[in-house]
Amino acid sequence: MTTVVTSGVFTSTNPGISPVSGLGTDYIQWGSAGSQSGYQFRGAAADVQLDGTEFVIGTFVHRNKPTTVTPSRFDVQLTVNVMFEDGSTTDLTFSFHHDETPNTTGTSPADDDLVDLQTFVHPQPVTVDGKQYRAVLSGFERNGQIVRQFRSPEGGINFAHVVCMFTLDEPDVVISGLRYQGTGTGQADEYVEILNQGGAPQDLTGWKVEAKPTGYSFPFPPGTVVQPGQRYRVYTNENHPEYGGFSFGSSSEIWRDQGGIARLVADDGFVVDQSPYLDKGFNKTGAP
């Protein structure tokens, strides 16, 4: 574990936008004077584990005012300076894609500005204590959920944590979440979530998610690849494209409320990860 302190500046936009101010600072603004929108990055201090464990690298702030900028869709580059407890530093570069949506009444989700993460893996390795790691962004954290698109309501000051991880330059896919108690008949909104907390992509062809003891199994379609920092969810009977669009397609519940186990199984049958829940006679070492 190491402690880091971060700060950040917005260095450029692509393509260049007009009017714009604040390049080279932690607060970039665009639009006409008196009605400017903009991004601010607030650094953080965090204890960091170098094993793919997520941490908050800073806070993203979008001050969203009705404004006009040309062009209305552009990328904003952010450079984050990370200082380690031994005094060494490294700069990480990521970019955000901004969609300055038409400004109307602000009463519809269609009026919200959209911010997408465009780069998730810093291109150069980071050396800590003589060992090389990859810096990977997981996404924006709001209300306990980590997403890759941040929806920013018009006319507000909207916040999200930016979540990062330091990991080895290899894939590392784990079960990162399980919603086993859904709502409604058949509990269609239940899901199991997997996360690639490694620094390289993983081809999931031949891999599957298993539900014990109900016996349900979901094979990932051929050619499915999970990128570093990316999350996929397999829902019981819903479709969510932002999480891969995967579903068991079952009208019956997959995850019994009395307890069970979620398993992630590789194409050779190896159990890559498993997650018992409610601890009803199940455990990781003696799972049936």
Side-chain angles (χ1 to χ4, degrees):
M1 179 182 291
T2 185
T3 300
V4 302
V5 177
T6 68
S7 60
V9 297
F10 296 101
T11 57
S12 63
T13 68
N14 184 31
I17 58 175
S18 179
V20 63
S21 63
L23 288 174
T25 75
D26 63 359
Y27 186 18
I28 182 175
Q29 295 177 279
W30 54 84
S32 55
S35 183
Q36 291 180 304
S37 287
Y39 292 170
Q40 184 179 18
F41 182 82
R42 297 176 179 172
D47 292 328
V48 178
Q49 299 185 56
L50 304 173
D51 61 356
T53 300
E54 295 167 314
F55 68 96
V56 175
I57 197 171
T59 300
F60 173 84
V61 185
H62 181 209
R63 288 176 169 83
N64 189 2
K65 296 182 180 180
T67 194
T68 301
V69 65
T70 304
S72 61
R73 295 180 179 178
F74 49 89
D75 295 337
V76 181
Q77 183 169 289
L78 171 70
T79 297
V80 180
N81 178 262
V82 181
M83 177 182 290
F84 297 92
E85 58 188 28
D86 64 359
S88 62
T89 65
T90 190
D91 285 337
L92 306 178
T93 301
F94 304 103
S95 65
F96 304 86
H97 180 73
H98 185 82
D99 185 356
E100 186 73 33
T101 56
N103 302 300
T104 55
T105 62
T107 59
S108 166
D111 302 322
D112 297 347
D113 286 2
L114 301 176
V115 186
D116 291 278
L117 282 169
Q118 292 293 290
T119 53
F120 304 101
V121 184
H122 180 67
Q124 286 81 39
V126 176
T127 301
V128 183
D129 295 332
K131 193 171 184 178
Q132 290 191 333
Y133 299 88
R134 287 289 184 181
V136 180
L137 289 188
S138 298
F140 300 105
E141 181 183 25
R142 283 174 59 87
N143 302 319
Q145 298 287 317
I146 298 177
V147 296
R148 295 205 164 190
Q149 184 183 84
F150 173 59
R151 183 175 288 276
S152 182
E154 195 74 41
I157 302 176
N158 305 303
F159 302 83
H161 286 145
V162 181
V163 180
C164 185
M165 63 179 85
F166 286 108
T167 186
L168 298 178
D169 192 13
E170 58 189 33
D172 184 11
V173 185
V174 297
I175 295 173
S176 53
L178 178 62
R179 182 179 185 181
Y180 61 85
Q181 286 187 318
T183 59
T185 303
Q187 302 187 49
D189 56 343
E190 294 179 343
Y191 61 80
V192 59
E193 180 183 86
I194 67 168
L195 164 69
N196 184 0
Q197 62 180 18
Q202 174 65 58
D203 187 345
L204 298 178
T205 300
W207 288 44
K208 59 186 177 181
V209 171
E210 295 180 342
K212 300 290 184 179
T214 60
Y216 287 92
S217 177
F218 175 84
F220 287 97
T224 301
V225 177
V226 58
Q227 298 293 333
Q230 187 172 24
R231 284 172 161 78
Y232 282 151
R233 289 178 180 177
V234 184
Y235 280 81
T236 293
N237 200 19
E238 290 185 351
N239 184 278
H240 293 261
E242 67 274 24
Y243 289 108
F246 303 118
S247 173
F248 283 95
S250 173
S251 59
S252 302
E253 74 170 317
I254 302 295
W255 311 102
R256 65 172 194 170
D257 295 345
Q258 295 81 13
I261 297 176
R263 280 180 171 172
L264 179 63
V265 183
D267 54 346
D268 61 358
F270 181 78
V271 179
V272 176
D273 195 18
Q274 52 187 331
S275 179
Y277 62 97
L278 294 186
D279 196 25
K280 300 295 184 180
F282 297 96
N283 57 72
K284 289 195 174 185
T285 57

